[in-house]
Amino acid sequence: MKSKKYKILKWTLGVLATIIVLLVCLGFWIKNLVPPRQMELESSKTENLTYVAKNVPEPRGKILAVVTSTSTMGMSGKSTGYELTELARAYYVFTANGFEVDIASPLGGKPPVVIDDEDMGEYDYAFLNDSEAQHKANNTIKIDNVITTDYEAVYFVGGKGAMFDFPNNAAIQAIIKEYYQERKVIGAVCHGPAALVNVTLDNGQHLVENKTVSSFTNKEELLLISDAETIFPFLLQDKLIEGGARFNEGSMYLEKMSHDDNLITGQNPWSVWVLAETMVKQLGYTPKTRPITGEENAVSVLLTYEREGIDKAKALMEHIMHGKEEPMSRLLVTKHSIIGVMQGDVKRFTNILRLASYAKKLDSRE
């Protein structure tokens, strides 16, 4: 009897040891798929970014960007703020296309900011190294003091803090109502559309009623914060639908934008580039040609995988990296494999890791 128990114990320990070894090996493999961090990015400056510094059109007016002043997610104690990437990338699209950008917040002054090192690119670091941009970001205009006639458009930056101080702010509501009724352009991304949920027009209709809109989705929120329903005053997707919106939901953590006349909304941080350029178009101008980032190319590949499968995604990856010789963010591709694990989707996990491995193989720098 003891011998039998010993064999079972030995077998169990052997299986556990094998699993641990496999997990360690998998971890090393995944780590190997991610390229080393490019430290030179941290010294990026606007004068070295041709898109920003060269061929800037004559002044076309001003755009107001609005960020949150909230630093904590409700009573949870979790820190928050506005997302730097969502401000920086739109800021440079606007300035590169001839618009001056001012930054406002509900309380004015220096707002809390969220900086995720893994998501930072050259434009984001350039923003941190841009003295004018930093002065505006650290000395925001109090939203109550905004002179609305000074601006051609307003852009609401995301960040989870927006869920707390955007929805019931009377000055924000007044700006949105005025701009929408005057057919000025309104943009909002990720949690930024929280600014729209309680806006009522002069005709008594909710602003979002019968409008096609996008925002951070319930699935995206709950995957990262399982108790989001108790932390936030509402789930943004639910609140927009409650107001009569036609919610336009895309794939999790991938680009999705909705354009309904002068209202332009994006699902998440990966929607900022296209949203900002669509705002420029809605303002009546053709956006300048911009180098496509490695992150955007990774999103295109992942969307192709979602819609057409791994073979088409690989073909697109090869076309981007070898045909067009454009960058590919292996980090973003690899991170999406982890989302597969979090969703319990083993096939997605393994297929996206295969894509990351293929990108490494195609990378001429290695």
Side-chain angles (χ1 to χ4, degrees):
M1 189 70 174
K2 288 183 179 179
S3 176
K4 185 176 180 181
K5 287 182 178 179
Y6 174 76
K7 287 181 180 179
I8 292 173
L9 178 62
K10 184 178 179 181
W11 179 84
T12 302
L13 291 174
V15 170
L16 288 174
T18 301
I19 291 172
I20 290 170
V21 169
L22 289 173
L23 288 174
V24 170
C25 291
L26 179 61
F28 275 113
W29 181 49
I30 292 174
K31 185 177 180 181
N32 189 50
L33 293 178
V34 178
R37 184 175 172 184
Q38 296 175 275
M39 301 302 293
E40 63 271 19
L41 283 179
E42 296 184 16
S43 59
S44 295
K45 295 186 181 298
T46 53
E47 55 262 35
N48 298 325
L49 298 175
T50 302
Y51 170 69
V52 176
K54 306 293 184 183
N55 303 316
V56 178
E58 291 296 315
R60 292 169 168 172
K62 298 171 72 175
I63 294 175
L64 181 69
V66 184
V67 300
T68 180
S69 294
T70 299
S71 60
T72 306
M73 297 183 212
M75 303 300 292
S76 70
K78 296 178 180 179
S79 63
T80 187
Y82 74 87
E83 294 285 342
L84 182 126
T85 59
E86 295 178 24
L87 174 61
R89 297 172 191 185
Y91 181 94
Y92 285 129
V93 168
F94 298 148
T95 57
N97 284 281
F99 293 94
E100 182 183 348
V101 179
D102 285 341
I103 306 172
S105 66
L107 298 181
K110 186 174 182 178
V113 58
V114 175
I115 300 175
D116 187 338
D117 289 343
E118 290 186 350
D119 292 336
M120 295 285 284
E122 59 181 351
Y123 291 90
D124 311 307
Y125 283 115
F127 187 83
L128 290 178
N129 295 325
D130 183 332
S131 59
E132 181 179 353
Q134 285 303 294
H135 178 76
K136 290 183 176 184
N138 293 325
N139 298 275
T140 62
I141 304 166
K142 187 175 182 180
I143 197 72
D144 293 341
N145 298 332
V146 166
I147 301 172
T148 58
T149 53
D150 285 352
Y151 304 97
E152 307 302 315
V154 62
Y155 167 64
F156 292 95
V157 180
K160 297 183 189 300
M163 294 286 286
F164 298 93
D165 60 3
F166 278 12
N168 297 311
N169 185 286
I172 285 176
Q173 293 173 2
I175 290 171
I176 294 171
K177 176 181 172 181
E178 176 185 329
Y179 279 26
Y180 187 80
Q181 294 182 161
E182 292 183 358
R183 298 192 56 76
K184 288 188 175 182
V185 177
I186 301 166
V189 74
C190 200
H191 290 90
L196 310 175
V197 298
N198 292 324
V199 177
T200 302
L201 303 176
D202 283 340
N203 62 8
Q205 183 178 353
H206 285 123
L207 171 75
V208 298
E209 188 174 339
N210 295 320
K211 306 294 191 311
T212 301
V213 299
S214 296
S215 77
F216 209 58
T217 67
N218 289 355
K219 290 178 182 177
E220 290 170 324
E221 199 78 87
L222 292 168
L223 185 68
L224 297 181
I225 305 178
S226 59
D227 56 346
E229 292 176 275
T230 62
I231 291 177
F232 297 112
F234 49 79
L235 293 181
L236 187 48
Q237 177 178 347
D238 287 348
K239 190 70 170 177
L240 289 165
I241 292 172
E242 181 185 312
R246 296 188 293 266
F247 195 82
N248 187 19
E249 182 175 358
S251 299
M252 290 182 69
Y253 308 115
L254 294 175
E255 176 190 298
K256 188 66 178 180
M257 183 203 68
S258 294
H259 184 186
D260 195 319
D261 198 15
N262 58 327
L263 181 63
I264 303 165
T265 49
Q267 181 168 315
N268 48 43
W270 298 273
S271 310
V272 172
W273 292 112
V274 65
L275 183 145
E277 290 179 332
T278 302
M279 288 181 66
V280 172
K281 291 178 185 176
Q282 185 65 28
L283 285 162
Y285 303 96
T286 300
K288 280 171 55 178
T289 300
R290 175 180 55 80
I292 301 302
T293 66
E295 183 181 67
E296 289 174 280
N297 281 328
V299 166
S300 295
V301 167
L302 290 165
L303 283 170
T304 299
Y305 168 73
E306 295 277 349
R307 297 164 182 165
E308 303 180 66
I310 191 167
D311 291 337
K312 290 291 180 65
K314 280 185 173 182
L316 177 60
M317 186 178 281
E318 184 166 0
H319 173 66
I320 289 169
M321 297 181 72
H322 281 186
K324 298 197 290 184
E325 297 184 340
E326 291 182 356
M328 177 69 56
S329 173
R330 295 207 317 258
L331 175 60
L332 183 58
V333 176
T334 304
K335 284 169 69 174
H336 268 263
S337 71
I338 306 303
I339 293 171
V341 172
M342 295 173 71
Q343 293 175 308
D345 189 337
V346 177
K347 181 179 179 182
R348 178 184 175 85
F349 169 66
T350 55
N351 279 346
I352 294 180
L353 277 184
R354 286 169 62 193
L355 285 174
S357 180
Y358 192 61
K360 179 179 173 65
K361 178 182 175 182
L362 292 172
D363 198 331
S364 59
R365 297 170 299 177
E366 299 186 14

